[in-house]
Amino acid sequence: MAVTRAQRHPSLAMIAPVPVASPRLEFLFPTFSEFSDRPNRRALVDHFTNVMSHLIVLRETEGGNPFQQLVLPLCHSSSTVTNAIYALASAHLENRGCGHTEEKAVYFHNQAIQGLARLIELGGQANKNELLATIMLLVYYEVLVQQNRSNIVDGHLKGAIAIMNGNNDNSNSTTAFLERAFRFYDVIAALSFGTPPLSTAPPTGCLIPFPPVDSPNSSPLGSVDTLLGFSTTLWPIIHRLSNLLALKTELQTALTNGQMTKVA
């Protein structure tokens, strides 16, 4: 009787056949393919993630970038936030002379503005984070394309402050970060242009630090704000300092006009 190979070597029967790798595994999905199937739009997300997000925060840690961790995920459920990101990244590339010819920044900006209008029409049913993220990105866009401070930026800031002063329900880490971003920009703009900030100064000790995402509670970074780049105890002081130039101008105008009661 013939003896088979498996009978001569029983251990061979226990060896599973080696699977042949599928050729499909060699085709990798493009980076940021979950955002768009268009290469130019994926390139804009890449530019926002790897360039822009690092330019609009003062401090980064090993924990990551808050715009990448908190704002970018909103794109998965909001085309309005996505268009605002496209607009900002495209405008930055166009300013550097390397923008894409398929779709211009102004196109994405118009799409984001239309989406923002639809969100505002929803009133209290609109997603607060979606609203704030869109407005914040549009503020950065306007600052990038405008030579000086414009009424458009002021209008966006006033709208954001109205939203922040409204319903405070369903707040989370994304909401806290976006609100901090608005107050930060408001004060920086006031210091830059010599105009009073639109927001009111927080009382001393009432501003809770926004630590790096995923930092442990025991970390010394817990007292340092990710966006501001310094301890939040300094923030009320800086906010009040941003009012000084406007107050000085108002005082000088009153003295020139002989309005002594106003000076007093």
Side-chain angles (χ1 to χ4, degrees):
M1 183 175 64
V3 179
T4 63
R5 184 183 181 191
Q7 289 174 326
R8 291 197 307 267
H9 302 283
S11 60
L12 293 178
M14 304 297 293
I15 300 176
V18 178
V20 178
S22 171
R24 294 183 180 181
L25 296 178
E26 298 179 3
F27 295 94
L28 301 178
F29 285 107
T31 306
F32 302 114
S33 59
E34 67 272 23
F35 289 89
S36 176
D37 57 356
R38 300 186 183 184
N40 66 305
R41 295 188 177 187
R42 292 197 299 269
L44 293 176
V45 178
D46 178 80
H47 186 71
F48 175 82
T49 303
N50 296 314
V51 179
M52 295 296 298
S53 66
H54 301 294
L55 299 177
I56 49 183
V57 293
L58 292 182
R59 181 176 180 275
E60 288 189 73
T61 67
E62 295 179 357
N65 182 289
F67 278 94
Q68 296 176 15
Q69 295 175 313
L70 300 175
V71 176
L72 199 60
L74 295 175
C75 294
H76 294 295
S77 59
S78 173
S79 60
T80 303
V81 175
T82 304
N83 281 319
I85 285 179
Y86 288 158
L88 178 59
S90 183
H92 189 250
L93 286 169
E94 289 174 11
N95 280 355
R96 297 169 62 178
C98 50
H100 296 281
T101 58
E102 298 96 322
E103 296 170 306
K104 297 294 185 182
V106 66
Y107 167 77
F108 293 119
H109 177 260
N110 290 337
Q111 293 296 310
I113 289 292
Q114 293 174 21
L116 178 61
R118 289 191 292 269
L119 288 174
I120 293 174
E121 289 178 356
L122 294 176
Q125 296 180 349
N127 184 289
K128 184 177 182 180
N129 289 341
E130 188 178 356
L131 272 168
L132 291 177
T134 301
I135 297 174
M136 186 75 261
L137 293 166
L138 290 175
V139 165
Y140 286 137
Y141 172 89
E142 296 294 345
V143 171
L144 188 61
V145 300
Q146 300 287 342
Q147 295 295 326
N148 299 304
R149 185 169 185 173
S150 69
N151 293 330
I152 299 176
V153 173
D154 288 343
H156 286 325
L157 288 174
K158 290 177 181 177
I161 291 173
I163 294 171
M164 291 187 292
N165 293 336
N167 188 0
N168 292 323
D169 294 340
N170 300 322
S171 295
N172 51 31
S173 58
T174 302
T175 310
F177 171 73
L178 290 170
E179 290 185 356
R180 189 67 52 83
F182 276 107
R183 299 185 190 281
F184 170 77
Y185 176 80
D186 181 33
V187 170
I188 294 302
L191 289 169
S192 301
F193 296 106
T195 56
L198 299 173
S199 58
T200 57
T204 303
C206 291
L207 192 65
I208 300 174
F210 187 83
V213 178
D214 298 330
S215 67
N217 294 331
S218 60
S219 171
L221 298 175
S223 63
V224 178
D225 190 272
T226 304
L227 182 66
L228 308 181
F230 51 75
S231 175
T232 51
T233 56
L234 295 174
W235 185 244
I237 299 173
I238 293 178
H239 195 291
R240 289 178 173 84
L241 287 175
S242 66
N243 276 295
L244 289 182
L245 183 56
L247 289 174
K248 178 183 177 182
T249 302
E250 185 179 354
L251 179 61
Q252 290 175 336
T253 302
L255 287 172
T256 302
N257 297 333
Q259 299 174 331
M260 303 310 296
T261 55
K262 191 172 184 179
V263 173

